[in-house]
Amino acid sequence: MMQARTTVGLLVGNRGFFPGSLVEEGRKRILKVLNEMGANVITLSPADTKYGAVENLKDAEKCAKLFRDHADKIDGIIVTLPNFGDEGSAALAIRMSGLDVPVLVHAFADELGKMDVSHRRDSFCGKISLCNNLVQFGISFTDTKLHVEDPESKEFKEDIEKFFAICRIVKGVKGLKIGAIGARPAAFNTVRFSEKILEKYGISVVTVDLSEIIARAKSFESKSERVKHELEKLRTTFNVKNVPSEALERMARLAAAINEWIENNGVKAMALQCWTALEMLYGVVPCAVMSLLSESLLPSACETDVMGALSMYVLQLASGKPSALMDWNNNYGDDPDKAVMFHCSNLPVSFFQSCEMSYQQIIAGTVGAENAYGTCVGRISPGPATFLRLSSFDTEGIIAGFVAEGEFTDDPIETFGGYGVAKINNLRSLLHLIVKYGFEHHVAVSKSLVKDAVIEALENYLNWEIFTIGECSCHREEV
């Protein structure tokens, strides 16, 4: 599934006694790059203001009105300085627009051979002045990797991709509805959370009793289009040769019931009471159903882990790819930077090298194998990974989390369920952080590298407290 195109408001800064030709040229250059990168751009035209830039209060008012008129479309604002720029007017335009979206501040680079009056930009200095004004105005913003960058440079394009991810996260979390199907398993105090803290940040939890979903699943006719559609997806996605047809049909009914409830309630991520009531009352595990949901970009967390579902959703917004929820499960021999990641499992099918449907061996010991079909068995393919856990800290009244990057390796391992060997540099410090602050044993995983965008979005714009490990940065860090 493709990401929706990001729409940005572009504000081009100008200061009159610097070369105007640089503004005219710079606006064209940055628009070309943004268009090539698939962005929708809303910006003043040269018919609106001189060079289509913001140089004074009247220009700022025009820019603010343009942004207000498209407020329902704009995901973020990019301020670019082809010359020094008028910092006050640029900051005022953002304030007067009333938009509460991420802001990227970019400045063009001077060339050593062009430092005369006709070619000198001084954007290097102007960016500092603009950021000073944004801080005074209380406007959060994102800096580029380098202080000044050519729009055509590799660094700028990477900054834009990261900024698009930040915009997706901030926009996606606002007004989010997370579904919670069933009660927390009694043995899992770890997945407790605060609905009220989530609501403080505009995130609602929609609940439903598991019995209602089971009753709806049982009510579907076998020949209904919903059930036939879900059954076909199960059969074409998984190797089901060892799964009884009765179990597959029950899974299809369950998928139909859950999808109907999701559609009726506007849910974008969900957490499910996956054991053991479902197996005892309905006769399947929901893993394959949840795998298909996550693969279709509706993150589905097990064990009613609502904060785990939120963590999955944030990673999905950042990467545009399905995310999973896994356990920090085993040490990998005596290697301090490796761990065996595991779940029993409902991982998205794109995580696996190959995947077979079977019965869930752990739960089968309690409910019998005949009531435990539907789990996804396979090894995670090697490649980069980002790990994220968000939690509600009730006594502090905050959302906090940690994020780290690493990879899944091809190191030898033999086990069951969904599994892989993860390598994270300085893993011991991360584990120390997890146990020190009481983070859960579940962690969301994306097969992509999106740590920087996640930190910037959650910490700078949503004011959540995010920990990480490794190189020094502005965010809170454990070493």
Side-chain angles (χ1 to χ4, degrees), residues 28-190:
K28 291 177 181 177
R29 287 170 62 189
I30 200 163
L31 277 172
K32 182 174 184 292
V33 171
L34 290 174
N35 288 327
E36 289 172 350
M37 296 184 72
N40 294 318
V41 183
I42 294 170
T43 188
L44 294 169
S45 74
D48 298 317
T49 65
K50 186 178 179 182
Y51 308 120
V54 172
E55 184 180 349
N56 52 46
L57 178 58
K58 288 186 177 180
D59 295 344
E61 290 172 342
K62 289 182 180 180
C63 183
K65 183 180 184 305
L66 178 67
F67 287 177
R68 278 198 308 273
D69 290 345
H70 296 85
D72 59 332
K73 300 175 184 176
I74 294 176
D75 303 315
I77 294 171
I78 298 175
V79 183
T80 184
L81 301 178
N83 64 22
F84 190 103
D86 188 273
E87 68 272 15
S89 298
L92 275 171
I94 297 172
R95 173 191 273 177
M96 291 188 296
S97 76
L99 268 63
D100 182 20
V101 296
V103 176
L104 179 69
V105 180
H106 163 256
F108 280 69
D110 268 310
E111 298 178 49
L112 287 178
K114 297 181 178 181
M115 300 289 283
D116 58 303
V117 173
S118 300
H119 299 93
R120 180 167 155 167
R121 298 181 184 275
D122 281 15
S123 307
F124 190 101
C125 185
K127 179 177 178 179
I128 297 172
S129 296
L130 170 60
C131 293
N132 172 278
N133 277 252
L134 293 176
V135 171
Q136 289 189 50
F137 284 24
I139 298 172
S140 297
F141 62 91
T142 297
D143 195 4
T144 51
K145 184 179 298 184
L146 302 178
H147 188 65
V148 290
E149 295 174 346
D150 291 328
E152 300 81 9
S153 68
K154 174 176 174 286
E155 290 81 8
F156 180 74
K157 291 176 182 178
E158 289 174 348
D159 282 328
I160 292 297
E161 290 291 355
K162 173 185 166 184
F163 186 65
F164 287 173
I166 292 165
C167 292
R168 291 193 299 266
I169 294 170
V170 174
K171 181 179 180 179
V173 167
K174 291 178 180 177
L176 172 64
K177 290 184 179 179
I178 302 176
I181 300 177
R184 168 181 59 81
F188 276 70
N189 286 347
T190 48

Side-chain angles (χ1 to χ4, degrees), residues 267-279:
V267 165
K268 299 294 185 183
M270 74 157 213
L272 175 68
Q273 181 187 344
C274 55
W275 57 277
T276 56
L278 191 57
E279 293 74 20

Side-chain angles (χ1 to χ4, degrees), residues 330-363:
N330 312 92
N331 59 289
Y332 187 75
D334 58 0
D335 192 323
D337 287 338
K338 292 180 182 177
V340 179
M341 308 296 295
F342 170 86
H343 233 256
C344 28
S345 82
N346 61 359
L347 308 185
V349 290
S350 57
F351 267 59
F352 293 107
Q353 291 177 330
S354 62
C355 179
E356 179 180 355
M357 190 188 293
S358 184
Y359 65 88
Q360 216 276 48
Q361 295 186 36
I362 298 174
I363 293 176

